[in-house]
Amino acid sequence: MKKNRITIIGGGIAGISAAIHLIEKGHIVSVIEAKKFIGGRAGSIKVEDTFIDIGQHVFLSSYQNFIHIIKTLNLEKKFILNKILNIPVSTDKKTYYIKSNIIKYPFSILFGVINYKNLNLINRFKLIYGLAKLKLAKKSINDSSFLQWLKINKQNDQIIEKFWKIICTPAFNIDIDKISYNSAINLFNYMIFNSKNTFFICYAKESFQNIFMNSFTKYLKKNNSNIHFGIKIESIENKKNGIIKINAKKKIQFETENLILATDYESTSSILGIVSNENQSNRSAIINIYFWFDSIVMHEDFKVFTDSKIEWVFSDYYNKKNKDTTQRLIISLSDANKLLKHSNEDLINSYEQEVRKQFDIEREVETTKSLVIRSPKATVLTNRKINNQLKSVFVCGDWTIEELPNTMEAAALSGKKISEKYF
Ligand SMILES: Cc1cc2nc3c(=O)[nH]c(=O)nc-3n(C[C@H](O)[C@H](O)[C@H](O)COP(=O)(O)OP(=O)(O)OC[C@H]3O[C@@H](n4cnc5c(N)ncnc54)[C@H](O)[C@@H]3O)c2cc1C
């Protein structure tokens, strides 16, 4: 096989995945990243000399392509790769668990639901019926509403609020009433009804920047490859001799024979010179609100709320592990377009009140710091296609995977697919 030297633009999960798969096939890669940090939308920001993730980056044990990155870079110890299903769900200030000690699919899910006392027994059986129907369901030519399908299949409001909504809204980053039937089938088959890699929730023990930056850079170096940070590519052009000219800001130029654009949809369109009419109505935002408390206020690693606007809440792993008596909570708000119009101050005030109410935090407990991180372009609402005519220029990224919502797994899968298809 001919060994190629391949340039990848974008150091997000898709770019990292493409680089790893190409190196595994014996190629040499050069990654060019606009920012000074790695990870893209799954990245971190620097706050007072420490890196914190721009949101809690959660994945499932079924994210086989994302986990391939973790394994290749020898990073398993840096992640909680859960083997036990355990989701604490709070309703009316009482905590219930979707919990099962059984590892094997489908029993893990079956027992998780049977143990889930947030639903009465009849509703738990109805939920098992709904899950079984979804597992057997076939995609339809005339795609319809998933919510309607749930209702037709015995899933009442209680079951929808206390199960389907808390899983689907963060997975798709849109409200359940906007999710289509076919995309729900795709998601559940890939991520949840997966006999090899069943449904456990996993997350990192520290920031993605700390975890990936050194290990990925070292991995590239070991394989005669490299990464350049802080170089924003503006355009590319095919020259007659088969060389692609890459034009960056400040008149920096590169040349390559093979190019992968592992950039988000808008950047990809702009680099290719295609006009894209993207605006906020085509995207779905995620807002993360961070609170630092001078005491431990949540004892679980994460918790889901069915009757509160705080939805999914995550605790920082390291403080807990170091037996620190302070705690940082991340309030992760999906489908957050409507919240973008509120000021940071308003968001902090209203969500702090709600956190204090839900966790019964005493007045004496101080909120020592708070922070809002807005990601208006977190995901796109419908996946995009780009008509790329340029020779030896290939495109990947979460938005190119039709069968999955925009996730780290879609990004990792896209990187793998591109390396398999073209090189
Ligand atoms: C706040 C937030 C929370 C999320 N939570 C989760 C989660 O819990 N679980 C999950 O699975 N998914 C989550 N997602 C979605 C997930 O992060 C993305 O789907 C995934 O990271 C996309 O990866 P990507 O490589 O395709 O694109 P990106 O991450 O967008 O990577 C593209 C890279 O290209 C670079 N780039 C762009 N233009 C140029 C240019 N002109 N020149 C050079 N470089 C350029 C960018 O800087 C970026 O690093 C979340 C997203 C956000 C924003």
Side-chain angles (χ1 to χ4, degrees):
M1 192 186 78
K2 191 181 160 218
K3 307 285 178 211
N4 290 316
R5 185 173 274 278
I6 300 152
T7 304
I8 300 170
I9 301 178
I13 301 297
I16 296 174
S17 170
I20 285 175
H21 284 284
L22 291 167
I23 286 172
E24 280 172 349
K25 290 176 125 189
H27 302 299
I28 291 172
V29 305
S30 245
V31 183
I32 303 174
E33 166 56 47
K35 294 197 183 131
K36 288 190 181 138
F37 307 136
I38 205 158
R41 275 169 284 155
S44 320
I45 56 165
K46 207 169 185 183
V47 180
E48 295 165 9
D49 288 342
T50 45
F51 283 102
I52 61 169
D53 282 345
I54 57 165
Q56 184 74 42
H57 304 305
V58 185
F59 56 101
L60 304 177
S61 39
S62 51
Y63 274 37
Q64 50 194 300
N65 294 292
F66 181 66
I67 291 174
H68 179 74
I69 297 177
I70 294 175
K71 288 191 171 158
T72 308
L73 300 177
N74 261 324
L75 295 171
E76 284 113 309
K77 286 198 182 126
K78 305 264 180 192
F79 288 86
I80 306 272
L81 298 169
N82 270 330
K83 290 250 155 48
I84 296 292
L85 176 64
N86 187 6
I87 308 178
V89 183
S90 172
T91 302
D92 295 333
K93 289 201 182 170
K94 247 188 115 183
T95 306
Y96 305 87
Y97 297 87
I98 303 175
K99 186 173 180 175
S100 162
N101 292 328
I102 297 166
I103 296 170
K104 265 221 152 326
Y105 167 84
F107 304 104
S108 49
I109 297 171
L110 189 66
F111 282 91
V113 172
I114 289 172
N115 285 329
Y116 186 39
K117 302 205 170 72
N118 203 4
L119 294 172
N120 67 29
L121 200 58
I122 294 173
N123 279 348
R124 275 179 262 164
F125 281 111
K126 282 186 178 170
L127 174 53
I128 290 170
Y129 171 82
L131 285 163
K133 275 291 280 256
L134 189 60
K135 165 83 184 118
L136 299 172
K138 297 265 173 300
K139 280 201 260 173
S140 131
I141 302 167
N142 305 315
D143 203 0
S144 55
S145 148
F146 180 50
L147 189 59
Q148 246 169 11
W149 182 91
L150 287 173
K151 287 182 176 164
I152 293 167
N153 286 283
K154 301 193 176 7
Q155 307 302 293
N156 56 34
D157 289 351
Q158 286 272 317
I159 311 174
I160 290 167
E161 284 297 318
K162 292 178 180 174
F163 182 81
W164 295 103
K165 233 179 164 176
I166 60 174
I167 306 287
C168 291
T169 308
F172 284 95
N173 192 27
I174 46 170
D175 198 56
I176 194 162
D177 61 4
K178 296 190 204 113
I179 297 170
S180 81
Y181 165 75
N182 282 346
S183 57
I185 292 185
N186 282 338
L187 178 92
F188 276 83
N189 277 327
Y190 190 100
M191 305 244 179
I192 296 180
F193 307 139
N194 186 326
S195 55
K196 268 195 263 148
N197 305 289
T198 190
F199 169 46
F200 308 121
I201 290 180
C202 309
Y203 41 91
K205 294 180 186 173
E206 50 186 301
S207 75
F208 268 35
Q209 170 72 11
N210 287 354
I211 292 177
F212 283 109
M213 187 73 170
N214 277 343
S215 54
F216 183 56
T217 313
K218 270 191 200 154
Y219 174 82
L220 291 175
K221 207 169 163 193
K222 202 174 104 196
N223 291 288
N224 301 321
S225 297
N226 56 29
I227 182 161
H228 306 274
F229 286 101
I231 298 178
K232 185 168 181 188
I233 303 306
E234 293 194 318
S235 62
I236 54 173
E237 48 194 286
N238 267 141
K239 288 168 99 182
K240 278 200 182 110
N241 53 2
I243 298 286
I244 304 151
K245 208 168 114 195
I246 304 170
N247 305 310
K249 269 193 165 174
K250 296 181 195 155
K251 295 192 176 154
I252 301 171
Q253 288 185 337
F254 298 86
E255 287 191 338
T256 186
E257 283 178 20
N258 300 286
L259 179 65
I260 294 178
L261 298 178
T263 41
D264 52 279
Y265 172 73
E266 278 175 80
S267 305
T268 308
S269 313
S270 159
I271 293 169
L272 291 171
I274 298 167
V275 180
S276 79
N277 296 317
E278 288 292 285
N279 58 44
Q280 198 56 42
S281 66
N282 302 328
R283 309 182 193 116
S284 189
I286 296 179
I287 293 182
N288 284 279
I289 309 178
Y290 286 65
F291 292 109
W292 283 258
F293 293 100
D294 66 358
S295 304
I296 305 287
V297 297
M298 179 170 98
H299 296 282
E300 295 87 352
D301 291 341
F302 64 91
K303 200 165 190 173
V304 197
F305 291 79
T306 63
D307 56 349
S308 162
K309 60 183 181 182
I310 61 177
E311 301 173 6
W312 280 74
V313 181
F314 298 90
S315 162
D316 51 342
Y317 178 82
Y318 260 96
N319 278 10
K320 205 173 148 191
K321 198 186 152 223
N322 296 336
K323 299 199 169 54
D324 202 331
T325 52
T326 65
Q327 191 174 37
R328 183 190 75 192
L329 294 189
I330 309 174
I331 317 298
S332 184
L333 304 167
S334 321
D335 187 32
N337 279 7
K338 282 192 204 122
L339 295 176
L340 289 173
K341 62 175 185 282
H342 296 282
S343 69
N344 287 356
E345 205 185 352
D346 284 351
L347 290 172
I348 287 169
N349 285 340
S350 88
Y351 280 86
E352 187 185 347
Q353 259 182 31
E354 184 62 14
V355 170
R356 284 183 171 269
K357 187 179 119 196
Q358 287 295 340
F359 289 103
D360 281 327
I361 301 175
E362 292 164 7
R363 272 164 182 255
E364 299 81 66
V365 174
E366 236 185 273
T367 312
T368 52
K369 204 163 61 176
S370 49
L371 178 73
V372 176
I373 304 181
R374 294 163 184 263
S375 302
K377 300 179 183 177
T379 59
V380 289
L381 286 178
T382 44
N383 281 345
R384 306 282 189 263
K385 278 207 169 79
I386 268 186
N387 186 12
N388 163 37
Q389 307 281 356
L390 292 178
K391 203 170 157 260
S392 303
V393 176
F394 311 106
V395 169
C396 68
D398 59 351
W399 57 274
T400 62
I401 300 295
E402 275 178 43
E403 61 270 30
L404 289 178
N406 292 178
T407 50
M408 299 188 293
E409 177 61 6
L413 175 62
S414 77
K416 177 186 170 189
K417 277 192 169 178
I418 214 78
S419 74
E420 281 173 352
K421 198 164 169 192
Y422 299 108
F423 298 96

